[in-house]
Amino acid sequence: QVQLVESGGGLVQPGGSLTLSCAASGIILSTLSMGWYRQAPGRQRELVAAITSGGRTDYTDSVKGRFTISRDSAKNTVYLQMNSLQLEDTGVYYCNVPENPLPSEFERSWGRGTQVTVSS
């Protein structure tokens, strides 16, 4: 059973920062690529950051230079450091493998996500 639990969201002003955490169980994160997805209001869920098992990272253009994805293998946890937050970053953030389509075991494993609201 794969379980992914996101935390760390909140309300921040434009230009502020947040760090999100994704605690995993039932899998060993160090053996997998992992990603962070964002679902903005009224929009589809979008992959915004990914990290491979070897530590290589990639980001969608809208967050490049502002977001950093990382992994702590000892804690089986993936993080997303978000800086210089913009109004357009508002949404629910989820972690999961950065694959399309997702393997069935991971499609069943979406967590509740964590809400990030950027507002003045």
Side-chain angles (χ1 to χ4, degrees):
Q1 181 180 6
V2 177
Q3 186 168 267
L4 303 167
V5 180
E6 301 91 348
S7 62
L11 174 64
V12 297
Q13 294 181 319
S17 298
L18 284 173
T19 300
L20 309 183
S21 298
C22 170
S25 61
I27 54 172
I28 302 174
L29 260 56
S30 62
T31 69
L32 300 170
S33 294
M34 290 297 296
W36 283 95
Y37 295 78
R38 177 176 66 205
Q39 187 165 26
R43 300 183 66 178
Q44 294 293 110
R45 191 152 41 198
E46 174 192 22
L47 181 68
V48 298
I51 184 168
T52 70
S53 61
R56 290 186 291 106
T57 60
D58 199 13
Y59 305 89
T60 194
D61 286 345
S62 65
V63 309
K64 283 182 179 177
R66 301 188 297 114
F67 290 11
T68 303
I69 186 171
S70 62
R71 176 173 52 220
D72 187 333
S73 296
K75 296 181 179 179
N76 216 37
T77 299
V78 177
Y79 302 94
L80 186 67
Q81 175 67 51
M82 305 185 295
N83 298 322
S84 302
L85 283 162
Q86 304 169 359
L87 298 178
E88 295 77 15
D89 296 319
T90 292
V92 181
Y93 285 72
Y94 304 85
C95 61
N96 214 325
V97 293
E99 299 180 32
N100 185 19
L102 269 65
S104 59
E105 61 192 294
F106 291 97
E107 185 66 43
R108 295 191 297 266
S109 302
W110 289 107
R112 295 178 179 177
T114 186
Q115 176 72 47
V116 173
T117 302
V118 185
S119 176
S120 299

